[in-house]
């Protein structure tokens, strides 16, 4: 299957979020003439479905990171559920994406990164090891 060039931006917003990182990225991609698609989700099931169905080479997940009481990353947050490794394994799929990029806090943890590559099938995974800073986020073309 031939994948589409460009980036699919999947965003998990809370009503209290001050703005939309996903819309900002989509506008930047338009300026750069990079093909992109924007989707907003409210549940982990919808997030998983979009990752599984995406035909774009690159996926950017814009979400909050769920961090445990011990300060460990436990999954992508949505208003209706957490995208933990355990929740992902309930669904049997392989991502078609070459790379998945995440800006969720601490989502660059080694264990989650290995899960995205080894279990979900993306060739590359990029995520911050701490709280993301705007100047270290990457856009891939």
């Amino acid at each position: 299957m031939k994948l589409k060039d460009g980036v699919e931006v999947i965003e998990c917003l809370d009503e209290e979020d001050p703005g939309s990182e996903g819309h900002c990225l989509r506008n930047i991609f338009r300026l750069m003439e990079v093909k992109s698609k924007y989707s907003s989700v409210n549940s982990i099931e919808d997030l998983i479905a979009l990752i599984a169905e995406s035909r774009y080479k690159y996926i950017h997940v814009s979400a909050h990171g769920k961090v445990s009481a011990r300060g460990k990353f436990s999954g992508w947050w949505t208003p209706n559920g957490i995208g933990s490794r355990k929740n992902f394994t309930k669904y049997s799929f392989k991502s078609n994406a070459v790379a998945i990029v995440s800006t969720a806090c601490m989502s660059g943890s080694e264990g989650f990164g290995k899960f995205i590559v080894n279990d979900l099938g993306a060739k590359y995974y990029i995520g911050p090891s701490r709280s993301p800073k705007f100047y270290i986020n990457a856009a891939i073309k």
Side-chain angles (χ1 to χ4, degrees):
M1 161 194 10
K2 181 160 172 57
L3 294 176
K4 296 179 183 182
D5 288 331
V7 181
E8 180 158 2
V9 178
I10 305 171
E11 184 165 57
C12 309
L13 284 175
D14 184 356
E15 290 179 10
E16 296 179 18
D17 282 331
S20 169
E21 173 188 14
H23 285 294
C24 178
L25 287 170
R26 187 160 188 218
N27 288 329
I28 291 169
F29 292 143
R30 283 182 182 155
L31 288 171
M32 295 169 51
E33 298 181 357
V34 173
K35 293 177 186 172
S36 66
K37 176 184 174 186
Y38 171 86
S39 299
S40 178
V41 297
N42 289 312
S43 71
I44 191 56
E45 293 82 12
D46 291 342
L47 174 62
I48 290 170
L50 285 177
I51 291 172
E53 296 165 4
S54 181
R55 297 298 177 246
Y56 280 84
K57 286 183 179 178
Y58 307 104
I59 297 173
H60 180 104
V61 176
S62 172
H64 293 288
K66 173 68 174 159
V67 180
S68 72
R70 295 185 318 194
K72 301 284 186 189
F73 179 76
S74 56
W76 283 318
W77 175 93
T78 73
N80 297 300
I82 304 302
S84 65
R85 288 185 277 181
K86 182 179 179 181
N87 285 341
F88 269 90
T89 57
K90 293 178 186 176
Y91 304 87
S92 178
F93 75 94
K94 290 286 185 183
S95 173
N96 297 303
V98 172
I100 296 177
V101 177
S102 170
T103 49
C105 284
M106 299 177 73
S107 62
S109 72
E110 185 177 350
F112 194 72
K114 285 182 178 181
F115 170 76
I116 296 291
V117 172
N118 296 334
D119 293 19
L120 294 189
K123 189 171 182 179
Y124 303 102
Y125 176 71
I126 300 169
S129 58
R130 293 187 181 91
S131 177
K133 304 288 185 203
F134 181 80
Y135 58 87
I136 61 171
N137 291 339
I140 299 175
K141 178 177 179 184

